[in-house]
Every structure is written in C-alpha cells, then in structure tokens.
Amino acid sequence: MSERLSQARAWLRQDPDAETRDELAGIITRAASGDRAAVADLEDRFSTRLAFGTAGLRGELGAGSNRMNRVLVAQAAAGFAGYLLQRRGDRPTVVIGYDGRRNSRRFALDSAEILAGAGLRAVLLPRLLPTPVLAFAVRHLQADAGIMVTASHNPPNDNGYKVYLGGEDGGSQIVAPADAEIAAHIQSVADAGDVGLLPRSDAYELAGEDVVEAYIAETAAVAPAPFGVQEMRWVYTAMHGVGWETFSRVLKAAGYPAPRIVDAQRDPDPTFRTVSFPNPEEPGAMDLALARAKEADAEFVIANDPDADRLAVAIPDAGAEGGWRRLTGNEVGLLLGWRAARAAQGAAGASLACSLVSSPGLGAVAERYGLDFHETLTGFKWISRAPGMVFGFEEALGYLVNPGTVRDKDGISAAIALLGLAAEARVRESSIAGLLEELGAEIGHFASGQVSVRVEDLALIAGTMASLRAQPPASFGERVVVASEDLAAGASGVPAGDVLRYRLADGSRVIVRPSGTEPKLKVYIDARGDSKDDAAAAVSALEIAVRDLLAERR
C-alpha cells in the first residue's frame, strides 16, 4: 500500500492537469485513511502502465500510469521523439492530428510542444480532422512520422494515440520491432521522473488548409460522380464525430448529390449523447440514421465512425427487422474489392489484400480477375504493407481504396468508392443489393458471422485460448474439423499471432482470437454456398455451435 501511495504522490507532483490532479488527490486521501475502494482504485491505476504497442496507446481518461492523461502523453511524445532522433537523424518532421474527443486537442498541443522542444519539426494540423487526413498528411508532407490523437469508436471516456511512420514505411502504422523500441524510449522517459522538466517549445508549425484541400482533391478523384445521379437519395451520419465537415467538401468536389443528414449526430460531440456506444457495428448505433432513411425513402445509408476511418452501409430489405439491413464489413469489402479488381485487371503485380479473419471471398475475386492475393494479420499496419496492393480491407468496417495517398483505412474515400458503385448501378436501374447478387453469381455466395464474448477479467480470454490449444475441437456442431492451425508460430507467410484457425469438412472456416483493442474474445465464421440462403444457414448453425463450445471452455 505504501508503494502505491508513493507512486501516486510522485505522479501528482508532475501532473499539469488540474482536473486529474484533483481526482487523484481525493483518491490518495481516501486510500491513506484506509478506504478499501480507494486502495483498489490506486492499485488499478498504478500497478501497471497503459501499454504502448502496434496500435499505440488507447485507454480510459484519468489520472495514473494505467490511464490516458497529460503525463502519459508527455512521456509518449518525448519517448517517440527520442526514437525518431535515434533512427531518423537530425530534425525529423512529425505531423500531429486530433479528433473531437475529450482532451484530444490538449494532448495534441502537448505533443507538438514536446516534439518541438526536443528539436524536431512538429506540424500540427489546423483543426480537429478525421484520422485519414492525418494519414494522408504524413505522405503528402513527406514527414518522418505522424501522431493521431483519437480513440476511434471506443466509449466516450476513452482516448488514444496512434503512430505512423513515413519514409520506407510509407505512412503506415507501426509494426514490430518499432513498437517495442518506441516503448523502451517511453519507459526511459518515465523512469527519469518529472515530465515537467521536459523541454517544451511553442515553435511548432500550424499546417495550412492546403493539406486538407489536397486530401479532398485526391479523395474526390477516387470515384467522380457519373452523369445522371442528381436525384440519388441517401442518408449520412457522422456518429457525433469529425467526418462531416471534410466529407461534405469531398462530396461537392466529386459531384455527388448532398445526403439527408442525421442532424443530431452531424457535429462533433465528445459525449456521443444519442448512442450507447459510438461504433456503427454495435446494435442501435445506426437507429437514428435508419429512421431518417425511412422518412426520406432513401436508397441506402452511409455511416462513418467518430474519427471517420471506418464505413458502415445499410440497404432496404423487406425481410429484415424494420425493413433495413446493415451490410457486414465483408459484404462491403467484397463489393469494393470487386470494383478495384475490375479496374486493375491485367496490371502486373497488382494484388488484393485482407486480414486473415476477413472473407475468403476476396481471394475468389482476385483469382477471377487474375490478381495476386495476400492474407495478413489483423490491422491495417499489416494490410497496408501487402506487396502490390490496390485494395485492402478487414471485416471490422475498414477499407483501403487509395493506397497511393492513404496507407490506412479511410472511411471517407471508401464512402466515395461506394457512392460510385451505387451511382453506376442506379444508372442501369440496379442497386447495391443488385450488385451483391451480381457478385455472388460471379464468384459464389459467401456469408460471414461473428461471435464476441466481452469479459471483465482478461484472464478468462487467455484461459479459453489455452483450453482450445490443449484440446482442439473435433467439430462445431455437426460440422467436422479437418484442419486446426495455431498461428502463434506463424503460418503460410503470415507473421505470428494469437490466432486459432479451423477448417471444416464442408469448406467453412472458424477463426478465434482475442481482440486487440477491447476486452473481447472474437470468433469469425465464414461459409460459402450455392445461394446466399445456403451460406447464411451454414453461418447461423456455426454461430450456435461456437457459443456452445465457448460456454463449455470458459
């Protein structure tokens, strides 16, 4: 107990934030008097550090080494500066962006001041902007690195710190061993003590609007509107994030008709007041958008997540509850991959890429059009590095459609590509649903499903993975497992990962892995059938079997 109190008091002395200082001071006082809840709270906040990995930092706002706060961000910025000075030479350039979450601008300013104080050239984007604009700016400005302050679609009280590398990394997110090297520099800063002693400077630069305008021009060029789409009716929601201001300008430049807007969710709001969880994948998150679509008799709905790096799509479906169906990330990914494959057909070395938990249908598309195909570990840090990639996606609503300008998922450029498909279909009196049918007739019908188990205790996830490794399942329901693969040591050219893959006798596939960003165990199910109903039925049966198996193993 005395060690935790000592850690907390040392942290308190260096914290420049009045809010978190007051928060921590109260906890220290209660813990010192023997309050058990306060003692447990201190243990949670200081028994470990919020880990810096290939996804950067992400966690709950608050005081302590296991929270996102100004002390932790200062340590991260100084550690990243040390890494860049060691690896990239004199005065590396770093671009910094931020979204509309709580403390995002403050964390970005702290980073800019500390980077500038360390002798780097720090360039702050002009205002809160989508994550894809930051990823674009790293390449556009030929920067050595980029930092984006965002927690994407996490709960309202979270924030995060994503890191990109320029140069030979091409503006992609970091991968090993850079993550461990950066983490070691950050730890050295933390071990040195008071972040108040770190040199700071206000000699950072403010990027001009020309950076944003260049992103808008490049993104509009992904799929300019074809003639005859002026009457297209569709609905858009920014999910209380930063997408609309930039996306609206891209729409105008590309020539698409303005959407009907979900006004209550249009502007940035760090409380995300109309949704329980600001992720368009989550049940209920798109309810207001679907209600607006019914009111407007819309042809489809498009949603971005709060930092606009993901895209969700919904279409009318008389057989679905409420008359609307959200497309899966795999369905959107296959449509956009089909679009890219047709454009790249015959190009030497061109490839399609997706994470290994995404639909194997993308491989069928690549084969149909004579392109290479790559499966990677989850995350665009891997997908973006696939050789010859002209399109990449992962099932969690992430799509990379313009790798020449943005080497990360981009919900705005993906939306423009989707609008291009919808507009072309409309001109020939078809629809997004019609495109899915055309694709299924061409490559076969693929269906996917997912089972997620959220836990309070992360040990439950580790225990379940250990159980599955020790005793691999022989079947999922009536479907026999014909091959089990443990990717912990890598497989088929894929880097090692905490992933288990099962191939079934009927051609279906089941993949199990821990989530990289949330306390969840995730299971991905894929099936192929002669019709979409056959494939969907196979997935439904497997979802039941997977839930039964996980209940036994927990």
Side-chain angles (χ1 to χ4, degrees):
M1 175 58 192
S2 60
E3 179 186 357
R4 293 289 175 254
L5 283 171
S6 177
Q7 284 178 292
R9 286 168 178 147
W11 190 276
L12 184 66
R13 287 192 292 271
Q14 64 178 320
D15 191 349
D17 189 305
E19 182 178 344
T20 48
R21 278 202 313 271
D22 289 347
E23 172 192 21
L24 185 56
I27 298 169
I28 290 171
T29 299
R30 294 193 300 275
S33 67
D35 185 300
R36 290 185 178 181
V39 170
D41 195 4
L42 277 190
E43 181 68 19
D44 180 52
R45 290 168 184 265
F46 289 98
S47 62
T48 187
R49 285 182 62 83
L50 202 61
F52 185 94
T54 54
L57 294 167
R58 191 177 293 186
E60 184 181 355
L61 291 165
S65 60
N66 196 30
R67 299 286 190 273
M68 281 295 297
N69 50 67
R70 292 185 66 187
V71 175
L72 197 79
V73 165
Q75 293 169 345
F80 193 37
Y83 167 83
L84 291 171
L85 287 168
Q86 183 182 79
R87 296 298 297 269
R88 301 291 171 118
D90 293 337
R91 205 160 184 259
T93 297
V94 184
V95 189
I96 305 155
Y98 58 97
D99 68 3
R101 282 181 175 266
R102 285 182 54 207
N103 285 1
S104 284
R105 177 172 168 78
R106 181 65 263 173
F107 292 164
L109 286 169
D110 281 342
S111 298
E113 291 172 1
I114 287 171
L115 290 166
L120 285 75
R121 178 188 175 217
V123 182
L124 186 68
L125 292 184
R127 60 180 180 286
L128 52 88
L129 286 161
T131 293
V133 177
L134 182 278
F136 168 82
V138 174
R139 291 174 65 89
H140 181 71
L141 297 177
Q142 298 181 328
D144 296 280
I147 295 168
M148 182 67 194
V149 182
T150 178
S152 189
H153 55 276
N154 272 38
N157 202 41
D158 284 9
N159 215 325
Y161 205 76
K162 290 176 68 173
V163 172
Y164 298 79
L165 290 176
E168 63 185 16
D169 290 277
S172 295
Q173 293 184 58
I174 58 169
V175 295
D179 58 334
E181 293 170 0
I182 296 168
H185 280 274
I186 294 171
Q187 188 62 56
S188 295
V189 174
D191 292 343
D194 191 350
V195 297
L197 300 178
L198 292 171
R200 288 180 177 246
S201 171
D202 60 3
Y204 60 85
E205 301 172 29
L206 193 64
E209 279 297 317
D210 58 307
V211 175
V212 182
E213 290 165 0
Y215 171 82
I216 289 166
E218 292 281 0
T219 306
V222 166
F227 178 78
V229 299
Q230 289 79 7
E231 299 304 317
M232 190 164 67
R233 300 182 312 283
W234 58 290
V235 167
Y236 173 78
T237 177
M239 202 70 67
H240 295 297
V242 296
W244 173 241
E245 190 267 345
T246 303
F247 184 43
S248 64
R249 294 172 65 185
V250 174
L251 287 174
K252 185 175 181 180
Y256 288 98
R260 278 69 169 176
I261 298 294
V262 180
D263 291 325
Q265 297 177 340
R266 187 191 71 176
D267 299 324
D269 177 359
T271 70
F272 303 104
R273 56 189 169 79
T274 69
V275 292
S276 57
F277 203 102
N279 179 354
E281 287 185 293
E282 293 289 328
M286 289 181 65
D287 283 356
L288 289 182
L290 298 182
R292 184 77 174 95
K294 292 173 190 175
E295 175 188 288
D297 189 27
E299 298 165 44
F300 55 90
V301 175
I302 282 178
N304 284 137
D305 70 335
D307 69 327
D309 66 349
R310 298 175 193 247
L311 169 73
V313 181
I315 61 173
D317 186 336
E321 182 179 352
W324 282 82
R325 180 172 74 87
R326 291 183 301 171
L327 299 187
T328 67
N330 282 326
E331 287 176 306
V332 176
L334 292 183
L335 282 178
L336 294 177
W338 186 35
R339 170 188 178 273
R342 288 181 292 176
Q345 188 173 16
S351 72
L352 305 181
C354 67
S355 62
L356 58 87
V357 299
S358 300
S359 175
L362 191 67
V365 173
E367 182 179 7
R368 166 72 177 79
Y369 288 91
L371 304 181
D372 294 337
F373 173 62
H374 303 284
E375 277 190 326
T376 76
L377 290 180
T378 55
F380 278 83
K381 55 185 175 285
W382 299 112
I383 295 169
S384 66
R385 288 175 164 82
M389 181 202 54
V390 295
F391 170 77
F393 92 98
E394 63 181 6
E395 49 71 42
L397 307 185
Y399 317 97
L400 198 168
V401 304
N402 54 344
T405 54
V406 177
R407 282 274 164 174
D408 195 12
K409 59 183 176 291
D410 181 350
I412 295 177
S413 63
I416 290 296
L418 192 283
L419 283 170
L421 283 174
E424 290 166 9
R426 194 179 194 276
V427 168
R428 50 191 183 86
E429 299 184 350
S430 186
S431 63
I432 293 174
L435 292 176
L436 288 168
E437 287 296 328
E438 288 180 41
L439 179 59
E442 189 171 306
I443 65 164
H445 294 272
F446 289 82
S448 59
Q450 189 178 131
V451 175
S452 294
V453 180
R454 185 179 287 271
V455 300
E456 295 295 329
D457 182 1
L458 290 175
L460 292 173
I461 293 177
T464 301
M465 293 295 288
S467 171
L468 292 170
R469 286 190 164 98
Q471 188 179 358
S475 66
F476 289 87
E478 298 179 354
R479 290 171 166 79
V480 176
V481 175
V482 295
S484 299
E485 298 172 273
D486 185 349
L487 273 61
S492 304
V494 177
D498 190 7
V499 179
L500 299 171
R501 180 163 57 187
Y502 306 99
R503 301 188 188 277
L504 312 187
D506 66 351
S508 301
R509 185 183 75 177
V510 176
I511 295 176
V512 186
R513 74 170 183 96
S515 169
T517 56
E518 299 175 88
K520 286 181 178 181
L521 184 68
K522 304 184 83 170
V523 183
Y524 305 82
I525 298 163
D526 291 284
R528 185 177 187 173
D530 294 332
S531 70
K532 66 177 182 180
D533 291 339
D534 289 343
V539 167
S540 295
L542 282 167
E543 287 176 340
I544 294 169
V546 164
R547 289 191 180 95
D548 290 343
L549 176 67
L550 293 181
E552 293 172 7
R553 298 299 180 96
R554 288 182 66 189

